[in-house]
Amino acid sequence: MMDTLLSIQNFYFNLHVAGGILPILQNINFAIHKKEILSLVGESGCGKTVCSLAITKLLPDKRSEYQSGKILFHNENLLEADPPEMAHIRGNKISYVFQDPFSSLNPLKKIKEQILEPFLIHVSTNEKEGIEKAKFLMDKVGLSDLSQRLNSYPNQLSGGILQRVCIAMALMCDPELLIADEPTSALDVTVQAQLVDLFHDLREERGMSILFISHDLSLVSSISDRIAVMYAGEIVEEAVVEDIIHHPKHPYTKALLGTIPALHTDNDSVLQTIPGVVPTPDKYPQGCHFSARCSEAMERCEVEKPLDYTDKKMHKTRCFLYEGYHDSN
Ligand code: SF4
């Protein structure tokens, strides 16, 4: 039996906007075990980033409504944690690498000041110790000329170097859970491959769990233990990598896999696309959120919401086509 580190249960999240209330996330259920890499995949606008930010309540306070459900970290419900408790967890027990390093770093502060900040707050006030750790981690993520990098401002470094700095910064407190949101999108494929190796090393050496967010199914298949597929504010399928890639069930997952170009096809083969676009939260259908784009939709799909149907291998699918599997919630 694997140890669960984070468990999100029946979670609903709304955003208050000028025109009313938007139901951003609906009935989210997934867990991350210790030393596990779970990837969240889906097209842009499916709610992956909001879901990851909601875990440590990083969404704008006045507009966010954590409507119901639980986010359990070590069995403590983070939705009930007070601000000092959350401040102790964020950047310390749970840390983030964001998609765009330029906007996640302060342009007015040197790298040294920014990379040391979480360490000095959560671990030790010994700056010398912090610099040693920063250099160790920067070397680990493949950076060189470390003293020079530490004394640079963000605008003096390239996107690839900054992203590695952000990864090193996220590791300064040895988090138990690293949330990496499209961390390789600013990097070329060679550096991408190095980072995939790095994430595997971190899991092995530090026993870290990783929530990896991406729209790229081929990338996540090389990094993850399990994959959760997200569509329009819901997790529609979740299983181990092998099952998602080779035995997908949900029509959306099948369609996503169909959009990946194969390496060895003739030049005339046509790349598949998914017709239509992801609905915005104000236009979520009453029934299955994928119903307007699904090639297998039935009459009931437009008006009834499917539940999660789970098979004996714990392959979970939110689709009526799999109704009748032995377990559902
Ligand atoms: Fe398609 Fe219906 Fe399944 Fe939704 S519930 S994915 S519309 S078949």
Side-chain angles (χ1 to χ4, degrees), residues 217-238:
L217 253 175
S218 39
L219 173 66
V220 303
S221 65
S222 66
I223 196 170
S224 328
D225 299 304
R226 284 187 303 126
I227 295 176
V229 181
M230 195 158 188
Y231 184 77
E234 298 187 320
I235 305 286
V236 295
E237 183 162 6
E238 184 196 323

Side-chain angles (χ1 to χ4, degrees), residues 59-114:
L59 293 155
D61 269 353
K62 287 186 182 151
R63 295 170 54 200
S64 300
E65 180 189 344
Y66 298 83
Q67 186 192 330
S68 59
K70 291 179 181 170
I71 297 180
L72 300 174
F73 182 65
H74 287 297
N75 279 326
E76 181 198 350
N77 188 2
L78 298 186
L79 296 181
E80 292 170 357
D82 58 26
E85 284 173 304
M86 286 313 298
H88 176 66
I89 288 170
R90 272 188 222 120
N92 183 22
K93 308 270 184 209
I94 302 177
S95 69
Y96 288 82
V97 179
F98 295 106
Q99 183 171 3
D100 179 6
F102 291 101
S103 58
S104 52
L105 290 167
N106 185 334
L108 302 177
K109 288 185 178 176
K110 285 185 176 175
I111 297 298
K112 177 177 152 187
E113 215 180 317
Q114 303 190 58

Side-chain angles (χ1 to χ4, degrees), residues 197-210:
D197 289 344
L198 172 69
F199 284 128
H200 283 139
D201 289 350
L202 289 171
R203 179 255 295 278
E204 290 309 319
E205 290 169 12
R206 291 160 191 262
M208 192 179 290
S209 306
I210 299 174

Side-chain angles (χ1 to χ4, degrees), residues 4 8 16 49 62-63 77 81 83 85 99 116 123 136 155 157 173 176 236 260 262 277 287 289 295 323 327:
T4 301
I8 302 187
H16 291 249
T49 296
K62 287 186 182 151
R63 295 170 54 200
N77 188 2
E85 284 173 304
Q99 183 171 3
L116 282 181
V123 182
F136 170 78
N155 71 338
L157 303 175
C173 301
E176 292 174 72
V236 295
I260 300 175
V277 292
H289 285 188
S295 59
E323 208 170 22
D327 184 24

